Amino acid sequence: MLRISIAAVALAAFAIGAVSGAAADDKPLQPWERKENHVKPPKGSPLDYLVSGYWFRTPKTRALQDDDFENPAFLWVEQAESEWTTVDGKAGKSCSSCHDAVEKSMKGVSARYPVYSAKNKKMMAITHQVNYCRENYMKAKKWKWESDKMLGMTSLIGLQSRGMPVNVSIDGPAKKFFEAGEKFYHQRRGQFDLACVHCHQGNFGMYIRADFLSQGHSNGFPTYRLKWQKLGSLHRRFRGCNNNIRAVPYKRGSPEYTNLELYLAWRGQGLKVEAPSVRQ
Amino acid sequence: MSQTEVSGGVHRRSFLIAAGAGSAAFAAAQFAPGIALADKALTEQAIKKVIGDRKLIEGRVSIDGPEIAENGNTVPVGFEVESKMSGGDMVKAVHVFAEGNPRPEVANFWFSADSGAARGAFRMRMAKTQNLIAVAEMADGKVYMGKRLVKVTIGGCGG
Amino acid sequence: MSRPRVRVPRKIKKGDTVTIKTLIAHKMETGVRRNKKTGKLIPRKIINSFEAKIDGKTVFKAALHPAVSSNPYISFAISPKKSGKIDFVWTEDGGKTFTKSAKFTVA
């Protein structure tokens, strides 16, 4: 009884509106309701169709993503392009010393991350991988998860997969991490007692205050958020979500968030990579 | 257990108020609490400071923004003045003001004989729903004005 | 991280008016935000002016106030009569400047 009343209050306070985005007969379809914007979900998906967060945004916001000049994330990408060939660390190497041209070597890489690393016995997001290279091969200092340099580099790498479908592996050694991520997604948490699934599976297309809830996919990250007025990581977004439901957030790069990243990537398996995207 | 009670004896009503207040704070994150916002009168003063006692004529200049901004921190705004931008029909400057920010001044733009058109675009912060005002100063001294209401809402997930 | 980006059409048809787009990475600290821990106001630091010159002559100028978003984007029009070079200058509070230039042909 107590549990029900808390959930009801939390939902009311968070104001998931009664107004549904679903089309009445006389209303034009919302962009995320249109079939041509739908992608077939992977086998076993709880969703009937996948639709990118892009289609939940206004035409003005979408226009900022459509043009690489209008998209401010490219300020960071340009910086990273020169960082790619800049020698750093005691080994006297740059990224390009091992990987040559980013356009070739990084093509499709972000689409399959996070991946299980047998060497490290853990799930690695692309950010972990960049720092692994910096520490072990370049003998350079780690970059902070949310630093401009790291966000620029992961955006530059993400850009090389733009338009390619998300395609992560969840079998074999990845399975146990995937299952942990799936559990996290369904676990109620925080004062509002909400799980990811409550907003992003059952209620996408509904109003949450004045915003439309999306399916909560990760294909656009890193993303330039109008609210942040800067580029930000997926794990920053997780922290924001957790804060909003008044749960204690985990650290960026933590195993919890990395497992969730894997599970989310699978939920969006088949969606096209949009990094670096623009969101509200 | 009563329906009106949340754990720890917090009354349902106060819980709702607290939750609402917390969310409202996200929207105003750019501005410290306690900073007063400008209003219509302050904006009129600011306009006067730029154009003096000249009369504002409505028309010729338009200001474009979203009807509802998706986030008040980055609102794309454009403006345009009807003008040939040659001979005697020249625009000297466009001044943009906002009625509901901590300060009414937003940006000022000056043009030249090589401008070709008196138009431009930029992105701005808006503390709340308010009028944007574009004031166009012509080379002949006349001053025109255009207005647009942009609604700023509180997003669902501050994040 | 203040390297600006500009988009200038390389070839401009004589008599045409074209749009120039500019972007610069900058926090645009408003001066009315408080440090969350200390409660003190964070001092204002914004790009307060922008100027575009064609072959040394000002073609467009802007003054920016704290209401302009971070990473300021400014677009405007030009209709140059002959080929030349366009120089862009952004000036920050305190006088530090950032520059960029581009060449174009008019035919």
Side-chain angles (χ1 to χ4, degrees):
Chain A
M1 198 61 211
L2 174 64
R3 184 182 190 88
I4 292 166
S5 71
I6 291 173
V9 171
L11 280 171
F14 220 43
I16 292 180
V19 186
S20 159
D25 289 341
D26 52 341
K27 265 195 199 157
L29 289 176
Q30 295 279 12
W32 65 86
E33 293 172 320
R34 279 189 230 124
K35 280 233 164 60
E36 65 267 29
N37 299 332
H38 293 174
V39 169
K40 203 174 143 243
K43 217 179 127 206
S45 170
L47 296 161
D48 295 331
Y49 58 86
L50 308 182
V51 56
S52 170
Y54 174 86
W55 293 110
F56 291 88
R57 306 282 54 98
T58 63
K60 289 235 185 226
T61 306
R62 296 206 298 265
L64 298 183
Q65 182 179 319
D66 293 342
D67 180 336
D68 288 350
F69 192 89
E70 300 278 331
N71 183 348
F74 279 80
L75 286 164
W76 280 259
V77 169
E78 248 184 22
Q79 196 80 11
E81 276 169 357
S82 67
E83 202 69 54
W84 183 262
T85 54
T86 304
V87 171
D88 195 10
K90 289 186 186 127
K93 285 181 181 172
S94 69
C95 304
S96 64
S97 308
C98 297
H99 297 291
D100 293 324
V102 67
E103 293 82 5
K104 266 193 175 166
S105 60
M106 292 298 126
K107 198 176 167 75
V109 171
S110 281
R112 55 186 174 81
Y113 264 74
V115 296
Y116 176 74
S117 157
K119 214 186 285 172
N120 297 293
K121 293 193 178 60
K122 67 172 203 171
M123 196 41 70
M124 306 261 285
I126 203 86
T127 308
H128 291 118
Q129 186 60 54
V130 169
N131 269 340
Y132 183 81
C133 283
R134 289 187 60 78
E135 282 195 299
N136 293 281
Y137 302 126
M138 295 168 71
K139 306 284 177 209
K141 267 195 192 150
K142 276 211 259 188
W143 281 335
K144 282 196 170 157
W145 195 276
E146 209 65 32
S147 62
D148 285 331
K149 283 189 173 175
M150 183 57 94
L151 291 167
M153 188 54 73
T154 51
S155 293
L156 174 65
I157 295 168
L159 180 64
Q160 311 312 321
S161 299
R162 191 161 69 171
M164 296 171 75
V166 174
N167 186 19
V168 286
S169 168
I170 57 165
D171 303 325
K175 194 165 180 245
K176 98 174 172 201
F177 301 96
F178 173 80
E179 282 167 356
E182 183 177 29
K183 199 176 159 203
F184 188 103
Y185 192 88
H186 294 86
Q187 176 70 55
R188 288 178 181 272
R189 62 190 72 241
Q191 196 180 19
F192 283 4
D193 206 30
L194 289 168
C196 311
V197 67
H198 294 128
C199 285
H200 296 291
Q201 186 171 312
N203 285 301
F204 69 86
M206 306 278 270
Y207 276 115
I208 180 159
R209 287 178 173 262
D211 272 348
F212 286 117
L213 273 167
S214 76
Q215 287 185 342
H217 291 301
S218 56
N219 59 314
F221 283 87
T223 188
Y224 189 93
R225 277 192 85 204
L226 304 183
K227 176 193 156 56
W228 293 338
Q229 300 178 73
K230 79 186 286 285
L231 196 57
S233 71
L234 179 62
H235 292 201
R236 177 177 180 189
R237 193 69 190 85
F238 289 163
R239 285 176 64 84
C241 268
N242 280 171
N243 270 321
N244 284 170
I245 57 165
R246 302 189 170 188
V248 178
Y250 290 88
K251 283 200 169 131
R252 296 177 177 95
S254 62
E256 288 83 0
Y257 280 172
T258 311
N259 296 339
L260 179 62
E261 181 174 344
L262 175 67
Y263 175 67
L264 265 195
W266 172 79
R267 283 179 73 97
Q269 191 97 293
L271 284 176
K272 283 176 179 156
V273 173
E274 290 174 24
S277 68
V278 179
R279 296 288 186 263
Q280 86 288 17
Chain B
M1 181 61 69
S2 152
Q3 281 283 330
T4 57
E5 243 180 59
V6 186
S7 59
V10 178
H11 196 271
R12 180 175 181 267
R13 184 176 300 263
S14 59
F15 179 82
L16 279 168
I17 291 166
S23 304
F26 300 144
Q30 280 299 319
F31 309 107
I35 299 272
L37 298 180
D39 55 14
K40 217 176 155 202
L42 248 166
T43 309
E44 277 166 9
Q45 274 177 35
I47 295 173
K48 234 182 176 168
K49 234 170 110 181
V50 176
I51 63 152
D53 285 328
R54 286 179 279 176
K55 200 179 134 224
L56 281 170
I57 311 161
E58 287 206 29
R60 282 191 79 169
V61 54
S62 61
I63 183 152
D64 173 53
E67 194 182 335
I68 301 172
E70 211 162 13
N71 189 286
N73 284 353
T74 314
V75 184
V77 174
F79 63 85
E80 179 151 23
V81 190
E82 288 168 33
S83 162
K84 287 191 191 120
M85 288 305 274
S86 63
D89 185 12
M90 285 283 297
V91 183
K92 195 177 137 204
V94 167
H95 313 282
V96 181
F97 301 90
E99 278 182 356
N101 275 350
R103 294 289 317 153
E105 298 87 1
V106 177
N108 318 76
F109 304 96
W110 290 272
F111 309 93
S112 69
D114 278 347
S115 287
R119 58 177 153 89
F122 59 99
R123 296 163 191 169
M124 66 173 289
R125 297 162 171 156
M126 297 181 72
K128 61 171 187 179
T129 295
Q130 56 185 289
N131 278 318
L132 295 181
I133 297 165
V135 173
E137 253 186 295
M138 312 303 278
D140 65 8
K142 285 208 175 86
V143 187
Y144 293 89
M145 179 190 85
K147 222 188 232 188
R148 172 157 182 108
L149 178 73
V150 176
K151 286 178 193 157
V152 177
T153 55
I154 299 170
C157 291
Chain C
M1 253 290 298
S2 270
R3 210 165 52 165
R5 301 184 80 207
V6 298
R7 185 184 273 175
V8 180
R10 232 173 260 171
K11 288 178 185 166
I12 301 167
K13 231 174 90 188
K14 206 163 195 159
D16 271 8
T17 298
V18 295
T19 299
I20 307 292
K21 295 178 176 183
T22 72
L23 197 59
I24 186 168
H26 199 280
K27 250 189 137 172
M28 297 295 277
E29 191 59 61
T30 58
V32 294
R33 251 165 30 116
R34 284 179 200 280
N35 180 312
K36 271 182 198 158
K37 279 175 196 147
T38 64
K40 276 191 185 155
L41 280 177
I42 303 166
R44 178 185 130 150
K45 188 153 218 178
I46 66 167
I47 297 279
N48 61 43
S49 70
F50 168 80
E51 191 168 4
K53 289 181 177 179
I54 294 179
D55 297 329
K57 207 176 139 206
T58 302
V59 61
F60 177 82
K61 218 166 73 173
L64 309 181
H65 301 275
V68 173
S69 303
S70 301
N71 310 313
Y73 166 95
I74 301 170
S75 89
F76 58 95
I78 60 166
S79 182
K81 285 157 190 82
K82 57 182 175 57
S83 304
K85 188 169 146 245
I86 181 162
D87 295 301
F88 305 92
V89 185
W90 292 258
T91 307
E92 186 184 68
D93 286 346
K96 196 174 167 191
T97 59
F98 308 93
T99 58
K100 184 107 182 170
S101 46
K103 280 184 179 159
F104 58 86
T105 56
V106 175

